[in-house]
């Protein structure tokens, strides 16, 4: 039984997507920013065995910095993080590559702590169609099986990088609410990675969650997007979909070198360069908006949301309370 | 805090080593025999990735037979098994092959539920020397590092198939008690796999556990060994080492075809046949003693031990209470 000690504790702050170049300095910034939980990406194109190497790196960080971070596997860990002044780190995949062609690896990965898995990363996968493909054929035969298995064990289906039909079919086929951990509404900023009103309504009506991205390619005006514009968009989304289905998924790639965005885009699926959301003229990571440079800046967003006239309770939910509730409903067996 | 409900519950029965050809029928026999926990082997020669396939098979069994078995990871699970009328299955390796040359895989395997690992299986490994090698050079450089890591995360060092010096060095180097999960004293039956009095004294004086094997090659008289002779040996061992350091590790290979004993002996390390404890004339699994055909026969051993004049409390410990205490001390972080 999860008890929310609302009288004792400030509401949790959760960033539901980061792929920073993690380091003790960033873990300290998480504490300085009051970030209680972060969903971090542990695979883009890795095989199972390669992904395990990434988990080993996290285990080393957990061993070396137990005063700052620990592995989170359940909603209670967010409270444990608050109580002990640390940040709970939750694992997720942006691509199903670590389960290879083996449905049994879904439960193995869940046993290793993985709590989110995207069915695609831009391209067609064994499970569904990515948002960069010309044709979207929806969930594959294996995709339907894997969604059912994820539902069974308590791993969240994440469709952030998936195409429209595939996303709608995942929402429909999944027996548990799903997530779009890091994207924005296409009605605010048209982009392959942003989501249609149809998708966002279906997602939230089924109890799913949207995490707002601060990755500049997902922002109206890109790196020049203002805090006010970003928070006004959230206010509009709260009116359309209900604030309780919304949270943050900053997509923060703090300190990463540009070689990493190339790995994210190209992996090993092509020998040519693919610029993804970038271009030959601007192939690297775009500069972040001035008001959000990293983990210390979550208080700025809270202030921006309050300035939109959202209630204290709504803002508490947007800053982490909604993800916390979703964690409690999503990470255990069906 | 582990609470032993001695007033409410019979003492647990634990078999601390089996490599049966597991099936629903055997799981039902575990229940019929009142076996509350079994340590099962999930790797002999497997790489990490191959071992994960064995865990996937166990996950399927857990999913398909939740009324009979579940994955055990801590001592409390033995009580949970008793309370729910099921058998808790604990995982172990008879060889360090699944950690390959990567110390980070120790914690990964622990996170997947593995609670015992032999440092060697008969041959020299990356960690220590097996009991079939001509020369025993003790713990290797990596062996000392891995023992420390196993101590840290709560994975038990098992020296059942290791050579004398390596075993003594593991007892000495380990900061936590270790185990010999399945072997008998060499003073009762001289065999490469049975253990010297020196080893058994060092093991038990350091708080470690010995599990008595019922594999015929480890028995005086082989398959013809009587229950009385087996239990008299246990009585003698209890006098020498203290009953509280002793338990069962039957090494039961129920229903396995002879192809499996060949895999256990030969793996992929040779292209020739190696008969191990068998011979060209008797290459297969030896027949079990008439009094122990499988998981239904643990009550017979209890009666045999009581007939030796061991006290009820001593027999309770030998049948599982001692392993249960050892689990409580061994499976958590240091």
């Amino acid at each position: 039984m999860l008890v929310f000690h609302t009288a004792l504790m400030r509401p949790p702050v959760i960033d539901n997507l980061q792929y920073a170049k993690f380091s003790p300095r960033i873990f300290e910034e998480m504490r300085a920013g009051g970030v209680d939980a972060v969903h971090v990406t542990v695979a883009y194109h890795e095989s199972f065995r390669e992904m395990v190497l990434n988990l080993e790196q996290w285990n080393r960080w957990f061993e070396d910095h137990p005063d700052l971070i620990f592995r989170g596997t359940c909603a209670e860990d967010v409270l444990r993080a608050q109580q002990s002044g640390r940040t709970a780190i939750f694992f997720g995949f942006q691509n199903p590559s670590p389960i290879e062609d083996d449905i049994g690896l879904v439960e193995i990965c869940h046993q290793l702590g993985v709590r989110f898995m995207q069915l695609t990363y831009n391209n067609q996968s064994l499970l569904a169609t990515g948002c960069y493909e010309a044709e979207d054929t929806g969930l594959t035969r294996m995709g339907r099986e894997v969604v059912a298995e994820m539902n069974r064990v308590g791993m969240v289906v994440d469709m952030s990088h998936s195409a429209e039909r595939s996303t709608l079919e995942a929402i429909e086929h999944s027996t548990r609410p799903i997530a779009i951990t890091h994207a924005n509404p296409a009605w605010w900023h048209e982009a392959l990675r942003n989501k249609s009103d149809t998708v966002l309504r279906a997602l939230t009506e089924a109890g799913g969650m949207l995490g707002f991205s601060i990755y500049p390619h997902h922002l109206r005006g890109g790196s020049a997007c203002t805090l006010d514009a970003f928070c006004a968009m959230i206010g509009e989304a709260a009116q359309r979909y209900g604030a309780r289905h919304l949270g943050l998924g900053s997509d923060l790639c703090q300190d990463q070198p540009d070689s990493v965005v190339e790995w994210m885009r190209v992996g090993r699926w092509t020998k040519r360069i693919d610029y993804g959301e970038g271009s030959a003229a601007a192939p690297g990571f775009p500069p972040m908006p001035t008001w959000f440079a990293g983990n210390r800046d979550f208080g700025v967003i809270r202030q921006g949301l309050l300035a939109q006239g959202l209630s204290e309770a709504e803002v508490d939910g947007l800053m982490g309370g909604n993800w916390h509730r979703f964690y409690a409903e999503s990470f255990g067996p069906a």
Side-chain angles (χ1 to χ4, degrees), chain A residues 23-263:
Chain A
S23 64
R25 188 173 60 71
I26 289 186
F27 304 143
E28 283 162 9
E29 289 189 20
M30 287 176 181
R31 294 320 314 147
V35 184
D36 301 303
V38 178
H39 161 212
V40 304
T41 296
V42 295
Y44 281 98
H45 301 284
E46 286 84 345
S47 69
F48 176 74
R49 187 65 185 82
E50 292 168 333
M51 178 279 296
V52 167
L53 293 173
N54 296 341
L55 298 187
E56 291 180 36
Q57 173 62 72
W58 274 107
N59 281 339
R60 291 289 293 274
W61 280 322
F62 296 141
E63 182 181 355
D64 291 345
H65 307 288
D67 52 322
L68 296 172
I69 55 169
F70 66 94
R71 186 180 73 150
T73 60
C74 57
E76 287 82 351
D77 284 334
V78 179
L79 301 178
R80 193 154 68 95
Q82 286 193 291
Q83 284 156 358
S84 57
R86 298 181 293 166
T87 302
I89 302 293
F90 291 82
F91 297 145
F93 302 155
Q94 292 210 30
N95 197 351
S97 58
I99 69 160
E100 303 177 357
D101 59 356
D102 180 354
I103 196 168
L105 287 175
V106 172
E107 186 165 16
I108 293 289
C109 291
H110 189 269
Q111 289 169 333
L112 287 169
V114 177
R115 293 294 177 266
F116 291 89
M117 183 171 80
Q118 288 185 185
L119 301 193
T120 70
Y121 185 77
N122 298 343
N123 288 4
Q124 178 70 38
S125 75
L126 297 181
L127 310 181
T129 304
C131 61
Y132 278 59
E133 294 286 358
E135 300 283 328
D136 177 6
T137 50
L139 292 186
T140 65
R141 282 155 50 89
M142 185 178 175
R144 281 189 286 275
E145 298 299 315
V146 167
V147 167
E149 179 71 354
M150 294 171 75
N151 288 163
R152 184 180 74 83
V153 302
M155 187 184 291
V156 176
V157 174
D158 181 358
M159 298 303 276
S160 298
H161 282 254
S162 298
E164 176 102 355
R165 176 181 160 191
S166 289
T167 304
L168 292 170
E169 288 188 16
I171 294 163
E172 172 73 20
H173 182 70
S174 179
T175 57
R176 303 175 77 169
I178 77 164
I180 291 172
T181 60
H182 58 303
N184 293 324
W187 49 252
W188 180 62
H189 176 59
E190 189 69 49
L192 274 176
R193 277 275 285 102
N194 284 340
K195 303 303 172 188
S196 74
D197 188 64
T198 304
V199 158
L200 295 178
R201 280 190 198 282
L203 172 78
T204 52
E205 283 170 7
M209 282 284 296
L210 170 67
F212 294 107
S213 167
I214 315 176
Y215 192 64
H217 292 311
H218 308 156
L219 300 177
R220 180 191 285 180
S223 302
C225 178
T226 64
L227 173 67
D228 187 58
F230 179 72
C231 292
M233 174 273 288
I234 295 177
E236 164 74 13
Q239 289 190 341
R240 290 193 189 212
Y241 313 120
R244 73 189 307 272
H245 300 295
L246 309 176
L248 299 175
S250 72
D251 209 359
L252 181 66
C253 295
Q254 197 174 352
D255 292 351
Q256 292 283 22
D258 286 341
S259 58
V260 166
V261 77
E262 188 175 313
W263 161 251

